[in-house]
């Protein structure tokens, strides 16, 4: 069973599976609400998803200890484990750029891509995204927090896979795409994989 997250496609290929889809890393930045403004968000505040994209966009999450996170946006990461903007692995970036699906995606969604880069580079723009959900939030209420990297399966045709994808290659089961809420539902997914996908000897 191969469940490699950001390395899912590499490991699947090593097991003999097809190169399509490619796993492309997208970094998502978070900002945290300063403590004195946490009262603005008492639960989870999510936007209505845009069915054209698998990325939900900036939303607000109150954690169990009271911290409130705003984010994530989504920008192409220049390394698979590219958690910081300066993380660069030339070979991995070159592989992403060599994937035909990347350019098809870029042609289709370059305006969204440019907007996401802008959201990353400016706290004021980030705050504007958060304000769509809670109008009282200003840039001064936010401070930078951690980032996450999403393993996004991208087809050769430029399509972003927004659902689970499991391939079986011989006796090897490869999880090729496990989008959110795969963490929340990890145990149920494990049961599903064990019941339906483990090849019988
Ligand atoms: C910013 C962000 C926010 C998210 N929020 C949520 C949320 O609120 N709720 C939710 O349910 N999901 C959320 N997700 C999605 C969730 O994290 C993923 O769907 C889930 O982690 C996918 O599980 P996975 O097992 O496929 O991959 P991963 O969790 O990435 O696990 C893959 C593992 O394989 C390991 N690995 C890779 N290569 C090798 C190798 N060669 N040898 C050995 N080990 C290897 C990695 O180190 C890693 O531990 C979020 C994701 C991101 C990026």
């Amino acid at each position: 069973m191969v469940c490699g997250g950001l390395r899912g496609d590499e490991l699947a290929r090593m097991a003999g599976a097809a190169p399509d889809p490619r796993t492309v890393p997208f970094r998502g930045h978070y900002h945290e609400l300063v403590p004195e403004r946490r009262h603005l968000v008492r639960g989870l505040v999510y936007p209505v998803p845009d069915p054209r994209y698998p990325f939900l966009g900036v939303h607000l999450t109150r954690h169990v200890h009271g911290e409130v996170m705003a984010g994530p946006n989504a920008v192409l990461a220049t390394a698979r484990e590219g958690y910081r903007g300066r993380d660069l692995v030339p070979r991995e970036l070159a592989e992403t750029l060599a994937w035909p699906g990347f350019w098809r995606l870029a042609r289709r969604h370059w305006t969204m891509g440019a907007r996401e880069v802008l959201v990353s580079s400016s706290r004021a723009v980030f705050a504007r995204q958060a304000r769509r959900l809670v109008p009282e939030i200003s840039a001064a209420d936010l401070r930078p927090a951690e980032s996450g990297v999403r393993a996004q399966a991208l087809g050769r045709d430029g399509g972003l896979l927004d659902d689970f994808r499991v391939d079986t290659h011989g006796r090897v089961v490869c999880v090729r795409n496990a989008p959110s809420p795969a963490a929340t539902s990890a145990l149920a997914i494990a049961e599903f994989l064990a019941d339906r996908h483990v090849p019988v000897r």
Side-chain angles (χ1 to χ4, degrees), residues 47-67:
V48 176
D50 182 334
R52 288 172 300 168
Y53 312 115
F55 306 116
L56 184 60
V58 170
H59 51 276
L60 298 156
T61 308
R62 188 180 180 89
H63 287 252
V64 285
H65 298 298
E67 312 93 326

Side-chain angles (χ1 to χ4, degrees), residues 3-5 7 11 30 148-150 178-184:
C3 313
R7 303 270 166 195
L11 295 171
Y30 284 90
V149 182
R150 167 198 276 248
S180 183
T184 308

